[in-house]
Amino acid sequence: MPFATRLQNVETSAIREIFKLLGKPGIISLAGGFPDANLFDVEGIREASVKALADNPGAVLQYGATEGHDPLRDEIARYMAGKGAKVERSGLITTTGSQQALDLIGKTMISPGDKVIVEAPTFLATIQCFRLYGANLIGAPIDADGVKVDELEKLIIEHKPKLIYLIPNFGNPSGAMLSLERRKRVLELALQHKVLVIEDDPYGELYFNAPPPPSMLELSEGIPGSRDWLAYCGSLSKVMSPGLRVGWLIAHPSLLQKAVMCKQFSDAHTSNLAQATACEYLKMNRMAGVLAKVRPAYAERAQALCSHLKKVLGDGIDFAAPQGGMFVWARLTAPGSDAREFAKQAIERGVAFIPGTPFYAVNPDHATLRFSFATSSIEKIEEGVARLKA
């Protein structure tokens, strides 16, 4: 069939392809990027959904405003204030997951051929989304402290990008956390060069010990004018439930206006029932109690994975232990290593991970790979690493 030419540069997610293999009996998965369903606050979400339907069922089950359910927008503003960022209801829209926020930014900002800087590596869905709209993607190098701002500045000067996409807190796949000084410098660069920075923050609440530095959204208040060049994407998927598909976009009014227009064409509005449920849940103030269970659980699993990788694989693998999130980003050290081939062998041994190649927009490092520890027990992590050794 004569499909649109925009699909020529977009491939099926390599992660989804690997997931097809996970149905084999006995597979230990260190691959997925899912939160642990056993840690969902089912009781709280059930109570919130019942209350959402009880209070005003007609409105909840009806069409709604594209900008979002106003009571939820108020609760999100309150939630962000608790994280140190001041935002009014009018300064945000709700989206069907934060991934829709990225899609709306792509629709409103990217024309074919526009240059866009992303981290190398970065979130695979962002690569696919921005390519769909014709972006010419440029990879900015990172380390354990996030994007290297000196290199980023050089890329900005050379390429004059339309926008920059960053995951400052425990990124997917890198697990990196952007340092405080680098966050400030990114805002300064955005203001100086008049380039939009996207701050994607689905993992910021999943810290293990100390919380991450203030968001760039919060820090922008101390750098006058920088907030005009910042778009913040938030989500309840990793801390409440990905099945609700509730996210939000905070941005300049002109960008929000265009995003609302594009969202009207896309899905009219995010599910009112999901929004009302999320609203009631946030009002119940149960999030802190849930995170008090989730954070130590993920921290214990991350520590188990890192210690066993060091103990069992030794110098054969190199990585930085994450300070939060759901991922360990690693690199095979043997010359000529290819994690794609290693992944095939691992599947045969009954353990799965994600090769790092798809996470690079350009110039992939084929020796890299991503582990996720979020959904595996300590016992399965230990057995999984033992199978990697084999």
Side-chain angles (χ1 to χ4, degrees):
M1 298 181 70
F3 294 111
T5 56
R6 74 175 68 92
L7 295 178
Q8 292 176 357
N9 294 322
V10 181
E11 299 177 354
T12 302
S13 168
I15 296 177
R16 297 295 176 186
E17 292 302 307
I18 286 181
F19 283 172
K20 294 178 182 179
L21 302 174
L22 300 185
K24 294 174 60 177
I27 290 284
I28 293 175
S29 176
L30 301 175
F34 302 154
D36 187 348
N38 293 316
L39 297 174
F40 291 160
D41 182 11
V42 177
E43 178 184 343
I45 295 172
R46 180 185 294 114
E47 182 179 339
S49 64
V50 169
K51 192 170 192 314
L53 279 169
D55 287 353
N56 196 351
V60 167
L61 298 175
Q62 185 56 277
Y63 286 110
T66 304
E67 292 85 349
H69 182 57
D70 280 349
L72 174 60
R73 294 166 76 197
D74 289 336
E75 285 302 313
I76 291 172
R78 184 172 71 92
Y79 177 72
M80 293 303 301
K83 292 158 67 73
K86 297 178 182 178
V87 59
E88 301 295 328
R89 175 208 291 179
S90 60
L92 67 91
I93 63 172
T94 59
T95 57
T96 305
S98 61
Q99 195 157 319
Q100 187 187 49
L102 296 174
D103 182 66
L104 292 173
I105 291 171
K107 284 179 178 176
T108 57
M109 295 296 297
I110 298 173
S111 299
D114 282 345
K115 294 181 178 180
V116 173
I117 295 177
V118 299
E119 293 167 303
T122 193
F123 183 38
L124 175 57
T126 299
I127 294 175
Q128 295 171 311
C129 173
F130 290 173
R131 275 195 178 140
L132 186 65
Y133 296 115
N136 179 6
L137 298 178
I138 299 154
I142 66 172
D143 57 23
D145 291 323
V147 69
K148 297 180 179 180
V149 289
D150 290 343
E151 297 296 325
L152 177 62
E153 183 174 16
K154 293 177 184 177
L155 292 172
I156 292 172
I157 293 171
E158 178 182 356
H159 296 286
K160 298 178 175 57
K162 193 70 165 288
L163 56 88
I164 299 166
Y165 172 76
L166 303 175
I167 312 175
N169 296 323
F170 323 123
N172 178 4
S174 69
M177 184 174 71
L178 190 63
S179 69
L180 176 59
E181 290 306 313
R182 291 187 184 184
R183 291 172 194 238
K184 293 178 181 178
R185 185 61 184 142
V186 167
L187 288 172
E188 292 169 353
L189 291 172
L191 182 59
Q192 178 184 347
H193 296 280
K194 301 295 186 287
V195 56
L196 179 69
V197 172
I198 303 171
E199 180 177 21
D200 193 8
D201 188 25
Y203 305 102
E205 293 279 26
L206 301 180
Y207 56 85
F208 298 156
N209 296 303
S215 66
M216 288 188 285
L217 184 67
E218 178 182 353
L219 293 171
S220 67
E221 296 173 16
I223 304 176
S226 63
R227 183 175 280 204
D228 290 348
W229 299 98
L230 182 68
Y232 178 96
C233 300
S235 174
L236 294 179
S237 291
K238 303 303 187 294
V239 294
M240 183 180 171
S241 161
L244 283 176
R245 309 306 303 134
V246 172
W248 58 92
L249 172 62
I250 299 170
H252 189 274
S254 61
L255 175 52
L256 290 181
Q257 182 182 26
K258 297 296 186 184
V260 168
M261 179 180 69
C262 290
K263 185 171 167 61
Q264 289 172 347
F265 310 152
S266 177
D267 64 356
H269 62 86
T270 298
S271 162
N272 273 342
L273 180 56
Q275 289 189 81
T277 298
C279 178
E280 295 300 333
Y281 189 84
L282 290 175
K283 286 180 180 178
M284 291 159 57
N285 294 317
R286 294 177 66 105
M287 191 74 77
V290 172
L291 290 170
K293 297 177 182 178
V294 171
R295 288 171 183 149
Y298 286 0
E300 182 182 27
R301 295 168 193 179
Q303 195 279 330
L305 177 58
C306 290
S307 64
H308 278 79
L309 286 172
K310 289 181 180 178
K311 177 181 177 181
V312 176
L313 300 184
D315 294 337
I317 195 166
D318 183 42
F319 61 91
Q323 301 176 58
M326 299 164 59
F327 307 108
V328 170
W329 181 249
R331 189 176 191 279
L332 303 174
T333 58
S337 293
D338 191 327
R340 295 170 297 179
E341 183 59 34
F342 187 35
K344 295 176 184 177
Q345 297 176 20
I347 285 286
E348 294 302 316
R349 294 281 185 171
V351 61
F353 60 83
I354 303 296
T357 298
F359 296 104
Y360 289 90
V362 292
N363 304 320
D365 182 349
H366 298 305
T368 55
L369 57 152
R370 189 197 78 179
F371 298 112
S372 175
F373 47 79
T375 59
S376 296
S377 66
I378 303 299
E379 293 74 21
K380 285 191 174 181
I381 288 172
E382 294 177 359
E383 175 60 23
V385 174
R387 294 181 185 184
L388 290 178
K389 173 69 172 179

